[in-house]
Amino acid sequence: GDCLLPQSFTMHHIHQVPHRVVLWDPEANFIDVRVQRRGNELYFTEGWLDMLIYYNQPNGMWLKLVYFVGGAQFFIEKLYPRNFEGKVQIPTPP
């Protein structure tokens, strides 16, 4: 399925994120992904499933993304399998 972007990100960037973006991983691999707006939500759609297959995560995964404002790029800072049981630190916005 599609990947819903966090509401905290969407409420600040919904009008800035283009319809197509590039996701870069720490190894400089990249994939083109379509971004679809549905009401007040943003989703990664086309290309997202290809990324899950590439990382052998058919059930999804947790990502820590960095968005380059004004660009059409996200950098994948961290990848966690969906069944990850460790502690993920979620920063509190300022």
Side-chain angles (χ1 to χ4, degrees):
D2 300 336
C3 174
L4 173 64
L5 296 176
Q7 183 68 26
S8 58
F9 171 82
T10 301
M11 64 191 246
H12 295 288
H13 301 287
I14 194 164
H15 298 292
Q16 298 171 350
V17 179
H19 296 288
R20 296 212 69 86
V21 296
V22 177
L23 302 180
W24 291 90
D25 75 8
E27 304 298 321
N29 298 306
F30 66 92
I31 189 159
D32 293 313
V33 176
R34 181 172 181 231
V35 178
Q36 186 178 54
R37 183 175 174 182
R38 299 178 195 158
N40 289 324
E41 297 177 330
L42 290 176
Y43 291 83
F44 288 150
T45 58
E46 294 172 23
W48 175 248
L49 183 58
D50 296 330
M51 190 174 124
L52 295 179
I53 291 168
Y54 177 81
Y55 286 105
N56 195 25
Q57 297 295 322
N59 296 320
M61 61 183 150
W62 296 98
L63 298 175
K64 181 178 179 185
L65 296 170
V66 176
Y67 175 62
F68 295 97
V69 176
Q73 299 183 55
F74 285 84
F75 178 73
I76 302 167
E77 191 172 292
K78 297 277 186 184
L79 294 155
Y80 301 99
R82 191 169 189 170
N83 59 356
F84 178 75
E85 293 182 12
K87 184 175 181 181
V88 177
Q89 195 171 27
I90 301 173
T92 304

